């Protein structure tokens, strides 16, 4: 029988607490680590699928409520000056609040992203400059550790374990 996420996590926590200071402890820890990683990947996939269903159901409920606010909301429906709609609905003695508002900004052209070129064309103060490392350029430059250290950088360590 497969162990559940809770059992895998508890086993891993016990192994972390015991430490990995010898070969036997390593041989006990690696399979537990890989099993926990696999369970976490599975959990992420299920969470992603669940988020998609949640979004689809929310879209369906929201569309109906916005089309029929007079039948849905209990005398609480309102629209703010900038177009935010809200109201309450009671179901089986529980009150649920709905808000149809805004979450940031997007391009008016369908499917177009906020590129650096687009942002540069906006009025001053509407966009922030965002500096970030260009890891592709750094990798292509094939820099040595000393070259990176000269500029206050070092490679970020990443370890990986997996079953072959």
């Amino acid at each position: 029988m497969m162990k559940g996420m809770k059992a895998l996590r508890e086993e891993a926590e016990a192994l972390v607490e015991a430490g990995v200071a010898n070969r036997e402890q390593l041989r006990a820890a690696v399979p537990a680590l890989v099993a926990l990683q696999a369970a976490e990947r599975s959990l992420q996939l299920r969470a992603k699928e669940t988020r998609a269903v949640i979004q689809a159901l929310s879209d369906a409920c929201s569309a109906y409520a916005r089309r029929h606010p007079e039948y849905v909301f209990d005398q609480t429906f309102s629209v703010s000056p900038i177009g935010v709609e809200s109201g309450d609905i009671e179901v089986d003695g529980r009150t649920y609040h709905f808000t149809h508002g805004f979450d940031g900004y997007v391009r008016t052209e369908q499917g177009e992203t906020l590129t650096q070129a687009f942002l540069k064309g906006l009025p001053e103060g509407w966009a922030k400059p965002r500096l970030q490392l260009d890891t592709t350029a750094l990798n292509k430059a094939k820099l040595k550790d000393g070259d990176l250290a000269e500029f206050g950088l070092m490679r970020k360590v990443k370890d990986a374990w997996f079953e072959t």
Side-chain angles (χ1 to χ4, degrees):
M1 176 164 42
M2 286 191 54
K3 293 180 186 175
M5 177 60 93
K6 182 179 179 186
L8 289 169
R9 189 188 70 246
E10 288 172 350
E11 180 182 352
E13 288 170 344
L15 291 163
V16 167
E17 192 173 314
V20 180
N22 58 48
R23 182 177 169 86
E24 292 77 30
Q25 288 174 322
L26 178 68
R27 291 177 62 83
V30 169
L33 168 64
V34 172
L36 189 59
Q37 288 174 161
E40 193 261 347
R41 277 190 303 277
S42 176
L43 187 63
Q44 283 182 343
L45 179 60
R46 284 195 304 264
K48 183 178 178 181
E49 292 167 347
T50 301
R51 281 190 298 275
V53 172
I54 288 168
Q55 187 62 56
L57 186 56
S58 176
D59 291 347
C61 292
S62 299
Y64 181 83
R66 292 189 65 227
R67 279 193 315 271
H68 307 288
E70 64 278 10
Y71 303 119
V72 172
F73 300 107
D74 307 324
Q75 305 292 319
T76 59
F77 183 74
S78 65
V79 180
S80 78
I82 63 166
V84 176
E85 301 170 6
S86 63
D88 296 329
I89 179 174
E90 187 178 315
V91 179
D92 297 331
R94 297 178 72 177
T95 302
Y96 299 92
H97 184 75
F98 169 73
T99 302
H100 171 78
F102 308 102
D103 185 17
Y105 299 88
V106 294
R107 297 275 304 264
T108 53
E109 296 87 12
Q110 191 71 15
E112 292 293 320
T113 59
L114 296 173
T115 63
Q116 290 296 311
F118 177 82
L119 293 173
K120 284 180 186 175
L122 294 175
E124 188 172 329
W126 283 23
K128 296 179 182 179
R130 182 172 178 227
L131 295 176
Q132 66 183 54
L133 288 175
D134 185 343
T135 55
T136 303
L138 289 168
N139 290 341
K140 284 183 181 177
K142 298 183 180 175
L143 300 165
K144 297 197 181 329
D145 290 344
D147 299 328
L148 292 168
E150 186 177 326
F151 291 95
L153 294 172
M154 61 185 246
R155 287 180 176 82
K156 184 175 166 184
V157 175
K158 177 183 176 184
D159 296 323
W161 289 89
F162 57 92
E163 187 173 7
T164 57

